[in-house]
Amino acid sequence: ASHVGRLLFLLKGLEKKLVIRIAMLNQTSTSEVHNLQSPDFAALEEIGQVFTSQGFDAYVFASSRNDHMNCGQLAWEYDSRLSYAAE
C-alpha cells in the first residue's frame, strides 16, 4: 500500500489527464528467477479503487491464461511477423 500512496503523491494534479491501467503480472522465467509475483485479482481491484477514490480513471485487467510472455515480447513478436510478411 505504501507504493500506491507514493505513486498517488507523484501523480497528484494529473487526475484528469491520465488513465491508470493496473495489470496482473504475466509470469515469465525472469520474473520467476527474481521471485516476482503478482497480487491476486482482488488486490489489484482494491488498488484500482484507491485510484478511483482519488479522482483517477482506473481499470484492472489480466490475461485469461499465463503464456509466459511479457509486453515487450508480444510487441516484438507482432513486429517480427509484420517484417516477415513484407519480404
Side-chain angles (χ1 to χ4, degrees), residues 8 11-20 48-58:
L8 281 167
L11 299 177
K12 189 163 181 66
L14 300 174
E15 295 84 355
K16 302 301 178 201
K17 297 179 181 181
L18 298 176
V19 174
I20 305 299
Q49 290 170 359
V50 170
F51 276 95
T52 57
S53 73
Q54 296 299 309
F56 286 93
D57 185 7

Side-chain angles (χ1 to χ4, degrees), residues 4 19-26 38-53 56-64:
V4 174
V19 174
I20 305 299
R21 179 178 173 185
I22 303 163
M24 182 165 296
L25 174 67
N26 199 2
S38 184
D40 62 20
F41 199 77
L44 296 177
E45 286 182 318
E46 187 177 324
I47 293 168
Q49 290 170 359
V50 170
F51 276 95
T52 57
S53 73
F56 286 93
D57 185 7
Y59 67 97
V60 177
F61 74 101
S63 176
S64 61

Side-chain angles (χ1 to χ4, degrees), residues 26-35 68-69 73:
N26 199 2
Q27 289 295 130
T28 63
S29 57
T30 302
S31 65
E32 290 167 3
V33 165
H34 295 286
N35 203 24
H68 296 282
M69 295 179 75
Q73 288 173 302

